[in-house]
Amino acid sequence: MDALHTAANALAELLEIGFQNLWAITVLVGFVLALRGLRQGTQAMRLEFARYLALSLEFLLASDVLATLRAPSWQDIAQLAAVAAIRTGLDFYLSRELEKEVRQPAL
């Protein structure tokens, strides 16, 4: 049982690091692609980068969940709940803003 716990902990740690790397790569790729869209205007650039930021928030949240699963304490769980609420709120408002901009493009 101890070997299974150790293996699960190692897998969770690897997945956590993988999601953190995906977060960083997503932000970097989004920034580069958004700069390419600068020729179309700053609004297009902002929308392009916002899409990648919304995706990267999901990766960061997954990383936080895995970190809390590896060493759960009540303080860690409360901190995860607060972080998840903030990131989910950011993602919700960012997605809503993106939908609004897609429906009503700026002139």
Side-chain angles (χ1 to χ4, degrees):
M1 189 67 168
D2 190 40
L4 182 62
H5 182 269
T6 304
N9 194 23
L11 178 62
E13 185 175 0
L14 285 174
L15 287 172
E16 178 188 348
I17 292 169
F19 280 120
Q20 288 172 353
N21 289 333
L22 277 173
W23 167 77
I25 291 167
T26 302
V27 170
L28 182 63
V29 167
F31 181 72
V32 169
L33 292 177
L35 285 178
R36 283 184 31 199
L38 187 58
R39 288 174 276 178
Q40 299 171 357
T42 57
Q43 185 70 12
M45 182 183 93
R46 188 176 72 90
L47 289 174
E48 184 71 20
F49 190 53
R51 285 185 189 94
Y52 284 93
L53 282 180
L55 178 61
S56 70
L57 284 173
E58 299 295 332
F59 291 137
L60 210 50
L61 183 60
S63 173
D64 287 342
V65 168
L66 288 168
T68 302
L69 285 176
R70 288 190 309 113
S73 70
W74 285 110
Q75 183 177 357
D76 292 335
I77 292 170
Q79 186 177 12
L80 175 66
V83 167
I86 290 168
R87 289 195 182 137
T88 301
L90 284 172
D91 189 40
F92 171 76
Y93 287 112
L94 188 58
S95 297
R96 194 171 79 171
E97 182 74 21
L98 283 170
E99 288 175 12
K100 188 170 97 175
E101 290 295 329
V102 168
R103 279 187 265 136
Q104 300 172 348
L107 298 177

